[in-house]
Amino acid sequence: GSEMCIRDSDSTAKEQSFLFNVNKIFLVIHLLMLFMFSSLGVDLMAGVSLISICFYFLAFSLTKSEKLSIYVYSVAVEILLYMILAVVCLGIQCNFQLFLIDAMFFLFSMDYVVLRKKKKNHVAILLCCVYAIALIILYMLDGFYAPLYKLDSVVIKSISIAMISGAVFLIITCMMCLLHFMSSEEGAMEKQAQFDALTELPNRFYMMAKLKNLFEAEKQGEYFLAMIDIDDFKKINDSFG
């Protein structure tokens, strides 16, 4: 029981540390957005960026608590509102809406890596549906309204390239984190299967895997196998475990 508690606490600490680093990335992105919007004179989005920056500073406390799901869903909602406002201000040609696709990858990656939902996560599915609906509406309304701020075509193209690059970078980052987590989980499961939980000594499965590797090795050598038996050890095992 105590061993399971230690493992759970270690796992939670890793998840908190992971989300702490994720929050730093989002904070840096919003700082860059603030600089960009301030430079372009887009005052509304500069103000929204300041609010978002304050949110991510406060969110560091959530990453240190056990309410990790609140952090994940709060960030998901913030991304949705922020990117919709960015499209309304500067238009769909700037490609801010691509970050809504990133948010879907973020949700399901966090669902697998951090939240560890064994059943269907209806909140994540609902938010992804909202993202998809928002994307469709933004593209359908393109041409029916004028952006609140008019920018030069060269500036729009530069922002578009920057947003595409940022969106691709975040998708690759999410995939790398997911693959790294799956690899570490596979290693942990393999160790759990091949080592005794109480003594942390290799068990029969570990020995069989080692023997298989030796037999399949290109360079065969001479090996010796020794078996040790302790008389009446079963009585000790039955009495003391």
Side-chain angles (χ1 to χ4, degrees), residues 208-220 223:
M208 295 301 293
K210 282 293 182 182
L211 289 175
K212 183 181 178 181
N213 292 336
L214 289 174
F215 288 131
E216 293 179 352
E218 293 182 2
K219 295 182 179 180
Q220 295 289 337
Y223 303 100

Side-chain angles (χ1 to χ4, degrees), residues 98-212:
L98 294 180
F99 285 96
L100 296 180
I101 300 174
D102 281 351
M104 296 183 193
F105 280 93
F106 167 76
L107 266 177
F108 284 107
S109 297
M110 294 303 101
D111 182 54
Y112 186 79
V113 175
V114 178
L115 304 182
R116 311 283 183 93
K117 299 284 186 181
K118 294 181 179 179
K119 298 180 180 179
K120 287 184 178 179
N121 189 348
H122 298 291
V123 178
I125 294 172
L126 177 62
L127 281 170
C128 285
C129 290
V130 173
Y131 288 142
I133 293 169
L135 271 171
I136 293 169
I137 292 174
L138 288 173
Y139 278 108
M140 287 179 65
L141 292 178
D142 183 36
F144 288 95
Y145 72 94
L148 298 180
Y149 296 86
K150 290 185 178 181
L151 300 175
D152 184 75
S153 59
V154 176
V155 176
I156 291 175
K157 187 174 288 187
S158 300
I159 294 173
S160 177
I161 293 171
M163 294 305 105
I164 292 171
S165 302
V168 171
F169 168 76
L170 287 177
I171 289 176
I172 292 173
T173 303
C174 280
M175 292 299 99
M176 288 179 64
C177 290
L178 191 58
L179 289 173
H180 175 74
F181 177 79
M182 292 173 68
S183 176
S184 62
E185 283 288 291
E186 184 179 347
M189 290 176 65
E190 184 177 350
K191 183 178 179 181
Q192 188 176 3
Q194 295 185 350
F195 287 82
D196 180 71
L198 182 63
T199 62
E200 296 187 357
L201 294 173
N203 58 21
R204 180 169 59 91
F205 297 105
Y206 178 88
M207 184 188 72
M208 295 301 293
K210 282 293 182 182
L211 289 175
K212 183 181 178 181

